[in-house]
């Protein structure tokens, strides 16, 4: 049984940092591309970052580019999202997801991902 579990969310002041972690079990981790998404209340889900199996290629949404960094440790079966210079508009539930194929320009499309975590809440106060 595949499980994807996020952690690391919390309450932080604007300008602060958080690092989200995601672990995936029940699958061969380094066969899977990984993405981070977020959804704020009343808003659509937004793809914010993506990393390929080897970690060689990453993508970012314009809204987080230059502030967030995605990385992975295949030996530990972990993917991370380092979030710096947080803003109140970054407040959302953050989800980690696994995709078995290279999504390229479609990486923000949630249908590209097979497995999803339950999410971790990030709240940024002003």
């Amino acid at each position: 049984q595949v499980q994807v579990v996020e952690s690391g969310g919390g309450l932080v002041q604007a300008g602060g940092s958080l690092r989200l972690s995601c672990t995936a079990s029940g699958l061969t981790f380094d066969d899977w591309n990984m993405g981070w998404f977020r959804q704020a209340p009343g808003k659509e889900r937004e793809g914010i970052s993506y990393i390929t199996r080897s970690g060689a290629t990453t993508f970012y949404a314009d809204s987080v580019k230059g502030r967030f960094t995605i990385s992975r440790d295949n030996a530990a079966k972990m993917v991370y999202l380092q979030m710096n210079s947080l803003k109140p508009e970054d407040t959302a539930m953050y989800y980690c997801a696994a995709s078995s194929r290279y999504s390229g320009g479609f990486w923000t499309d949630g249908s590209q991902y097979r497995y999803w975590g339950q999410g971790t809440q990030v709240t940024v106060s002003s």
Side-chain angles (χ1 to χ4, degrees), residues 60-124:
Y60 297 94
D62 288 343
S63 58
V64 305
K65 200 172 293 182
R67 299 188 298 123
F68 290 11
T69 303
I70 191 170
S71 62
R72 66 188 293 162
D73 180 343
N74 284 342
K77 298 185 178 182
M78 298 288 292
V79 62
Y80 305 99
L81 186 69
Q82 178 66 44
M83 306 187 296
N84 298 329
S85 303
L86 283 162
K87 306 175 181 179
E89 51 263 44
D90 293 318
T91 294
M93 186 71 80
Y94 283 69
Y95 299 93
C96 178
S99 173
S100 61
R101 55 188 175 181
Y102 177 66
S103 300
F106 298 98
W107 67 271
T108 60
D109 180 354
S111 69
Q112 299 289 310
Y113 299 81
R114 183 169 178 182
Y115 298 110
W116 292 79
Q118 294 298 306
T120 186
Q121 177 68 38
V122 172
T123 302
V124 184

